[in-house]
């Protein structure tokens, strides 16, 4: 049971786009089509890291979030970070702090 009513992670768009691994893989593979290879599912750490970053970026797209860049940073809601980390965990339990402004280019640096 979640702690709050009407939390953003309860939105149908969040569930469809972020909790649905096939939808998220499609978004991630689209981002990887820039000459980078998609990590094999056997490479669990790289695979989940790609899915986490794709989920964060997708969350911003769902909200139509704009206006961030160098020097303009903000944290994602903790409920979003927590849910994404539950869905796509790090094998060692270590996570980078997720700043919104650095997500747009982070997918290409994962591979």
């Amino acid at each position: 049971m979640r702690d709050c009513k009407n939390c953003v992670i309860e939105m149908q768009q969040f569930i469809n786009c972020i909790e649905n691994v096939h939808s998220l893989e499609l978004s991630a593979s689209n981002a990887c089509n820039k000459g980078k290879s998609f990590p094999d599912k056997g490479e669990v750490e790289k695979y989940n890291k790609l899915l986490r970053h794709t989920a964060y970026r997708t969350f911003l797209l769902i909200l139509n979030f704009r206006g961030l860049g160098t020097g303009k940073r903000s944290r994602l809601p903790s409920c979003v970070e927590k849910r994404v980390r539950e869905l796509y965990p790090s094998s060692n339990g270590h996570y980078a702090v997720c700043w919104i402004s650095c997500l747009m280019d982070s997918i290409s640096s994962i591979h």
Side-chain angles (χ1 to χ4, degrees):
M1 185 83 172
R2 303 231 164 77
D3 295 348
C4 58
K5 285 186 174 183
N6 301 320
C7 182
V8 67
I9 62 175
E10 300 289 345
M11 290 173 40
Q12 195 60 47
Q13 285 178 300
F14 187 94
I15 294 165
N16 291 345
C17 297
I18 294 173
E19 293 190 10
N20 181 328
V21 69
H22 302 296
S23 176
L24 201 57
E25 284 176 339
L26 183 61
S27 295
S29 67
N30 187 34
C32 289
N33 281 338
K34 296 176 180 152
K36 303 284 184 178
S37 61
F38 193 82
D40 185 83
K41 290 181 183 181
E43 297 178 86
V44 177
E45 188 62 31
K46 282 185 177 182
Y47 178 75
N48 279 353
K49 185 175 183 180
L50 175 64
L51 292 182
R52 281 192 308 273
H53 284 269
T54 304
Y56 299 142
R57 185 175 187 281
T58 300
F59 173 72
L60 295 175
L61 293 173
I62 289 169
L63 297 179
N64 198 21
F65 205 84
R66 303 273 191 268
L68 294 175
T70 305
K72 296 179 184 176
R73 296 183 178 201
S74 183
R75 291 284 305 262
L76 287 171
S78 60
C79 59
V80 172
E81 283 188 43
K82 180 181 178 192
R83 183 67 184 137
V84 168
R85 290 173 180 180
E86 288 171 353
L87 293 166
Y88 314 107
S90 170
S91 60
N92 61 16
H94 293 101
Y95 301 93
V97 173
C98 188
W99 293 101
I100 294 173
S101 67
C102 62
L103 288 175
M104 298 317 215
D105 296 320
S106 67
I107 291 175
S108 62
S109 67
I110 291 172
H111 320 296

